[in-house]
Amino acid sequence: MSDDKSSSKKIKVLQVNKFYHPVTGGIETLVKQYSEELSTLDDIELEVLCCQNKRAKTEVETINGVKVTRMSSLGTYFSCPLSIPFIFRFWKEAKDADVVEMHVPFPLVDFATTFSRSKAKFIIHWHSDIVKQEKVMFLVKPFMNAMLKKSSSIIVATKGHILGSKYLPPYENKCKIIPYGVDTNEFNPSKVKDGLHDILTSKLTQKDSKKALFVGRLVYYKGVEVLVNAMKEVTDTELFICGSGPLSDELKTKTKELGLDTKIHFLDYLNDQELKAAYNDCDFFVLPSIQRSEAFAIVQIEAMAYGKPVINTRLDSGVPYVSLDGETGITVTPNSSVELAAAINTLAHDSEICSKYGTNAKRRVEDIFNEPKIINALYELIKSE
């Protein structure tokens, strides 16, 4: 083949995840970001293979220039879709691909990869261990290890993903750190829409209160109950909880029982523009997660992009590697409402340190978590494969 033809040949990339946009979630947001950005490159031909997140038939559509195939599913069990057709489609599509990028945990793709005859290079994006559903690991682990052995590269977002994993250390030589990123042109105070600049301030009970913000699903590992308890000992600060989930009613009831109605505001769902405005309007961000199911938390870098310090927890995961204790915020012991309250009070009452951490946070995003740098690192890895 001539050099001209070689240079014009596109690299066929199959991007594989459980679900895809408009299904929401941190990994789904990331896969959408990667897919759309890589698809714009001249020498990349990319398709997405995923499952329906509910009982539904196979659908093929194009979203923002990306071809997406959602395979029929019998529903989702143990946080994983059940789809036999997905396995057969994976085998077929992987045979035609040069590179297969798989986002895990996703036990169905572990199985499919184990028995795939594709000659493609397999790249694993390891987002976290399976934590809550560990009781099924005796079934999953043989296929997971087979997939890890078959892979050419394992992408992790931080060193903490390796050190905190029960399964990655034997494969550390394959691991490559490529952090998650945000588009700082979009997550930017100048892009906040008119009329939304005081989205939190307008809801304050005491207008001179500091504004603490939490963003995320209201599920067990987020530790929001610990945060609610911490607010009993917090002064001059009101908390805004943005998100919904199975614990929503329980948390609202607990807030009333503790007499914190005037200090805690539940915003439930905010659209994209409202969420960005909330980041911009808060004084600092709080991530009180209590389990290593929280492996990174992209919301940290979204808040940091607006120059906001972060209070996070010292988990055995990537979380404390994103916002650094004493540099871009404060890191506390998981499940400690006492330490959490103390950290909130520190940022609320020390404007100098709050400003310093916020400035450092924005700089850290620009230096390390800026989306173009992340996409370029991923592109270079795909080309090298």
Side-chain angles (χ1 to χ4, degrees):
M1 185 177 287
S2 70
D3 290 343
D4 287 342
K5 288 184 180 179
S6 296
S7 62
S8 64
K9 182 180 182 297
K10 291 195 172 187
I11 304 170
K12 293 185 178 180
V13 178
L14 181 65
Q15 189 98 230
V16 184
N17 189 43
K18 291 189 290 188
F19 310 122
Y20 191 78
H21 178 79
V23 177
T24 57
I27 296 176
E28 284 68 40
T29 299
L30 193 73
V31 174
K32 177 177 180 289
Q33 177 194 89
Y34 288 170
S35 300
E36 291 182 358
E37 293 291 337
L38 290 172
S39 292
T40 65
L41 302 178
D42 291 338
D43 55 349
I44 296 288
E45 182 180 320
L46 184 143
E47 296 184 10
V48 172
L49 178 64
C50 61
C51 294
Q52 298 280 15
N53 66 327
K54 57 187 176 182
R55 188 180 291 265
K57 296 180 179 179
T58 296
E59 293 180 339
V60 181
E61 58 185 324
T62 299
I63 304 175
N64 294 334
V66 178
K67 181 182 176 183
V68 180
T69 301
R70 302 179 202 273
M71 297 308 297
S72 61
S73 170
L74 296 175
T76 300
Y77 306 89
F78 297 101
S79 299
C80 181
L82 179 59
S83 171
I84 302 303
F86 168 87
I87 297 172
F88 290 98
R89 187 62 169 259
F90 176 91
W91 289 339
K92 178 179 181 297
E93 298 289 347
K95 275 188 176 182
D96 295 332
D98 298 308
V99 175
V100 180
E101 289 187 72
M102 303 167 296
H103 295 262
V104 302
F106 183 10
L108 207 58
V109 85
D110 298 2
F111 178 86
T113 302
T114 299
F115 297 103
S116 171
R117 296 182 178 179
S118 171
K119 301 298 183 182
K121 298 292 185 180
F122 290 95
I123 298 176
I124 297 172
H125 290 260
W126 187 278
H127 297 290
S128 74
D129 290 6
I130 292 176
V131 179
K132 186 178 180 182
Q133 298 84 10
E134 278 194 328
K135 58 188 175 184
V136 302
M137 281 306 296
F138 75 97
L139 293 173
V140 174
K141 192 173 180 180
F143 304 114
M144 181 191 71
N145 279 325
M147 176 188 65
L148 288 166
K149 289 176 182 176
K150 201 167 191 175
S151 67
S152 58
S153 297
I154 303 167
I155 298 175
V156 294
T158 72
K159 184 73 172 179
H161 282 69
I162 305 170
L163 299 177
S165 172
K166 291 184 177 181
Y167 312 108
L168 285 186
Y171 305 96
E172 186 170 1
N173 63 314
K174 290 186 177 184
C175 291
K176 295 177 173 59
I177 297 175
I178 300 180
Y180 307 145
V182 295
D183 184 350
T184 53
N185 291 320
E186 287 301 317
F187 287 82
N188 190 302
S190 66
K191 294 293 184 73
V192 175
K193 285 193 172 182
D194 291 341
L196 292 178
H197 287 87
D198 64 347
I199 189 169
L200 304 183
T201 302
S202 62
K203 297 176 176 63
L204 285 171
T205 303
Q206 299 293 330
K207 296 306 178 185
D208 57 349
S209 291
K210 297 297 183 181
K211 293 155 289 186
L213 177 67
F214 165 86
V215 175
R217 293 191 67 231
L218 302 183
V219 292
Y220 79 101
Y221 68 85
K222 293 290 184 178
V224 184
E225 183 176 2
V226 182
L227 179 55
V228 169
N229 283 330
M231 288 302 294
K232 293 185 295 183
E233 306 303 325
V234 168
T235 59
D236 304 319
T237 300
E238 295 178 30
L239 170 66
F240 294 84
I241 296 176
C242 173
S244 59
L247 299 182
S248 181
D249 290 342
E250 180 182 323
L251 290 167
K252 290 176 182 177
T253 299
K254 184 177 184 64
T255 296
K256 289 181 180 179
E257 290 174 348
L258 294 175
L260 297 174
D261 303 61
T262 59
K263 292 177 68 173
I264 300 178
H265 309 271
F266 288 87
L267 302 186
D268 297 323
Y269 172 78
L270 294 184
N271 63 37
D272 186 60
Q273 292 300 323
E274 291 169 335
L275 180 57
K276 291 174 180 177
Y279 284 131
N280 188 58
D281 193 27
C282 77
D283 291 293
F284 48 88
F285 187 82
V286 188
L287 184 78
S289 305
I290 58 175
Q291 295 285 344
R292 60 190 179 91
S293 301
E294 190 76 88
F296 185 94
I298 293 175
V299 289
Q300 292 190 94
I301 55 176
E302 290 177 347
M304 291 163 66
Y306 288 90
K308 308 300 177 177
V310 172
I311 298 171
N312 61 14
T313 51
R314 198 170 291 105
L315 293 171
D316 290 330
S317 72
V319 167
Y321 289 79
V322 180
S323 177
L324 304 178
D325 185 35
E327 182 177 328
T328 61
I330 301 173
T331 302
V332 302
T333 303
N335 255 321
S336 175
S337 60
V338 173
E339 287 189 29
L340 197 53
I344 293 171
N345 282 327
T346 295
L347 294 185
H349 297 123
D350 192 331
S351 59
E352 184 176 340
I353 199 167
C354 191
S355 177
K356 174 186 173 183
Y357 288 167
T359 299
N360 291 344
K362 185 172 184 177
R363 186 182 302 119
R364 182 166 171 78
V365 171
E366 292 169 346
D367 291 345
I368 297 176
F369 302 115
N370 203 351
E371 182 182 292
K373 294 182 179 180
I374 307 306
I375 296 300
N376 185 65
L378 182 56
Y379 172 60
E380 291 297 328
L381 179 61
I382 289 172
K383 285 200 305 180
S384 71
E385 296 292 332

